[in-house]
Amino acid sequence: MDDDNAAGPADPRRRIPRTDALLAHPRVAAAVASLGRSVVLGLIRAAQDRARSGDIAPEAVETELLASLESSRASSLTPVLNATGVVVHTNLGRAPLSPAAQRALADAAGYTDLEFDLVSGARARRGAAARAALLAACPAAEDALVVNNGAAALMLATTALARDAGVAISRGEFVEIGAGFRLSDLIESTGVRLVEVGTTNRTHLEDYERVLGEVAAVLSVHRSNFRIEGFTADADLRELADLCHARDVPLIVDLGSGLLAPEPALPKEPDAASVLAAGADVVIASGDKLLGGPQAGILLGRAEALATLARHPMARAVRADKLTLAALEATLTAGDPPVQQALHTDPQDLRERTETVAYEARSAAMDHAGRVAMVAVLVVEHAGRVGGGGGTGVDLPGWAIALPEAAAAPLRTGTPAVVTRVHEGRCLVDLRCVPQDQDGALADAIGRVLADLSAGRA
Ligand SMILES: *Cc1c(COP(=O)(O)O)cnc(C)c1O
């Protein structure tokens, strides 16, 4: 139990509010429902401890507690402002969800008619609406299947289609994605044999032709995070598809990112519609890269091949959950997710926004420091990047606020947490991926940090 009354009668610690009295406060009771009892009890104890140690007055415990409840979240994942200019930032959770997708997530969080027909009262097909939304967005596909992520889609497609024979892949397409994961290791981990074709820089149609007798599928992987330049050659996808069909071997294409249709801003990025039109049997895409939705592996293609994948036992182990299906459907039907907006930001608009935030940050710094902050706040040209799984080497023209490098750490650890790009001794604040309604909060955060820097406090 509490040791609230362990102190002597004149001790101010006797005035520290008791745990049960604090728990009776309506806002504290509400917090027990949203955060959980043990989290709230921990915050109560922390506030009481501060009073016990003389840090705060006993009368301030309640205010202190309410403030700490205000800033607490049930999950320790902290929302951040992505001021790096990298649109699909893997370390920052890749694609931010559109308002429609966020609403769909909340709606699907409770019981939902995931596999149930409310009219007939009978069991219904799981993920039917997400499938329909995918087929509407990519009419070239006969069928669609949603799994946990792109890696799971690749594993399922190669395992289910390779059977006991192998999968052919060009030596120029052995991709290592983030955190040291290699797609070749992933494919081989289920016992699928990889048959290497061609060389690192050049792979011809004849190279595939030579091995078609000993494989059950051909895999083509988009070089999503690197480029090969110089003396290079790749087999034409349409010719490869024709060759595969003539030999009755399915062609799997891993798009890397997840464009369903051509994207004018990224002319070199492959898309599902074009790849299917060229003759691919199964196309693999990620939900949370350029598509701008939740983490998901999207398989699109011929009905027969997709049916083989859906029937494979592994399909059950990698199936998407209701939250993913809800958010994916909403992303597709509502359209224009934040990733697309960031990709299409008008450089002139971005420049004006950036100058406004820089100006407001200087004013905020003066408010906090009482004088003009003695640190430079410049607006400089800064190219944004597509990031994870696409647009390698593509510059997205734009602007950034350049601050001293020392601003980066306090911006990261402040509220809101602002993640910037540290480059060549400067802290660059790129607004491309910052929601516009956060501009005021961002300017204030920069202002506070500038004031601290000029006062030598940071
Ligand atoms: C990102 C990527 C994957 C993996 O997709 P996830 O959705 O991250 O699992 C697979 N292949 C390529 C080429 C990629 O770029």
Side-chain angles (χ1 to χ4, degrees):
M1 276 311 292
D2 301 320
D3 59 350
D4 293 358
N5 295 325
D11 197 311
R13 286 179 291 181
R14 287 188 60 115
R15 303 199 309 272
I16 295 174
R18 293 173 56 95
T19 300
D20 48 7
L22 290 167
L23 279 171
H25 190 289
R27 276 171 61 195
V28 180
V32 168
S34 63
L35 296 171
R37 191 176 169 85
S38 65
V39 171
V40 174
L41 283 177
L43 293 171
I44 288 177
R45 231 163 270 134
Q48 289 169 332
D49 283 349
R50 289 197 65 195
R52 250 175 232 126
S53 65
D55 246 9
I56 56 171
E59 291 69 27
V61 165
E62 186 181 295
T63 319
E64 167 94 0
L65 173 63
L66 294 178
S68 64
L69 289 173
E70 197 66 42
S71 58
S72 287
R73 283 176 296 273
S75 150
S76 62
L77 286 179
T78 305
V80 307
L81 293 182
N82 172 10
T84 63
V86 179
V87 178
V88 180
H89 197 305
T90 300
N91 302 154
L92 300 182
R94 288 196 184 161
L97 294 180
S98 66
Q102 294 189 29
R103 257 196 317 277
L105 271 187
D107 289 345
Y111 290 121
T112 180
D113 59 346
L114 179 66
E115 297 180 8
F116 188 69
D117 184 336
L118 289 170
V119 176
S120 69
R123 190 175 193 280
R125 182 174 170 170
R126 183 189 179 91
R131 175 178 171 272
L134 280 169
L135 296 181
C138 184
E142 293 172 4
D143 202 353
L145 182 66
V146 183
V147 296
N148 201 30
N149 58 13
L154 184 61
M155 195 166 78
L156 175 62
T158 50
T159 307
L161 295 178
R163 302 189 302 270
D164 295 332
V167 173
I169 175 172
S170 161
R171 288 193 173 91
E173 298 177 357
F174 274 65
V175 180
E176 178 173 303
I177 52 177
F181 284 103
R182 295 176 173 170
L183 297 185
S184 49
D185 293 343
L186 175 80
I187 295 165
E188 287 180 318
S189 70
T190 70
V192 170
R193 192 170 55 90
L194 281 183
V195 176
E196 300 182 18
V197 185
T199 62
T200 306
N201 57 329
R202 294 173 71 84
T203 300
H204 308 283
L205 198 62
E206 304 81 74
D207 296 316
Y208 288 100
E209 196 161 13
R210 227 167 280 135
V211 302
L212 278 188
E214 52 168 310
V215 298
V218 171
L219 173 64
S220 168
V221 179
H222 175 52
R223 296 182 190 113
S224 57
N225 54 10
F226 70 107
R227 281 183 299 184
I228 297 185
E229 283 173 38
F231 186 52
T232 66
D234 285 308
D236 174 73
L237 193 66
R238 190 175 291 273
E239 287 175 12
L240 180 59
D242 289 346
L243 175 69
C244 288
H245 294 157
R247 306 283 289 270
D248 212 16
V249 171
L251 173 63
I252 306 165
V253 177
D254 179 1
L255 288 179
S257 191
L259 292 177
L260 300 185
E263 166 56 64
L266 301 171
K268 291 195 180 140
E269 198 63 24
D271 65 278
S274 310
V275 165
L276 288 168
D281 297 279
V282 175
V283 174
I284 294 166
S286 293
D288 57 350
K289 290 182 180 173
L290 283 170
L291 193 62
Q295 176 186 304
I298 297 166
L299 293 142
L300 295 158
R302 287 183 189 278
E304 197 192 327
L306 268 284
T308 304
L309 304 193
R311 273 196 309 268
H312 193 278
M314 190 184 279
R316 179 63 177 77
V318 297
R319 78 175 184 184
D321 79 319
K322 62 180 178 176
L323 301 178
T324 300
L325 294 168
L328 180 61
E329 180 194 353
T331 300
L332 292 165
T333 51
D336 202 26
V339 162
Q340 286 292 318
Q341 292 174 12
L343 205 55
H344 294 133
T345 303
D346 176 58
Q348 190 51 35
D349 289 349
L350 189 56
R351 180 178 195 169
E352 282 162 23
R353 256 182 87 194
T354 306
E355 278 168 352
T356 303
V357 170
Y359 176 82
E360 285 174 359
R362 273 188 220 104
S363 311
M366 279 191 263
D367 289 347
H368 288 292
R371 64 192 161 88
V372 180
M374 307 255 293
V375 282
V377 186
L378 299 170
V379 171
V380 297
E381 276 189 87
H382 184 246
R385 294 278 167 173
V386 175
T392 311
V394 174
D395 279 345
L396 304 169
W399 302 85
I401 301 170
L403 303 172
E405 185 174 341
L411 280 172
R412 265 196 326 268
T413 51
T415 307
V418 181
V419 182
T420 61
R421 175 172 185 228
V422 176
H423 183 62
E424 293 178 345
R426 292 191 300 188
C427 165
L428 298 163
V429 183
D430 188 319
L431 271 65
R432 176 181 301 277
C433 307
V434 174
Q436 197 155 356
D437 63 6
Q438 296 297 306
D439 282 4
L442 176 61
D444 201 51
I446 298 171
R448 268 178 279 132
V449 167
L450 290 179
D452 286 350
L453 284 180
S454 72
R457 288 192 297 261

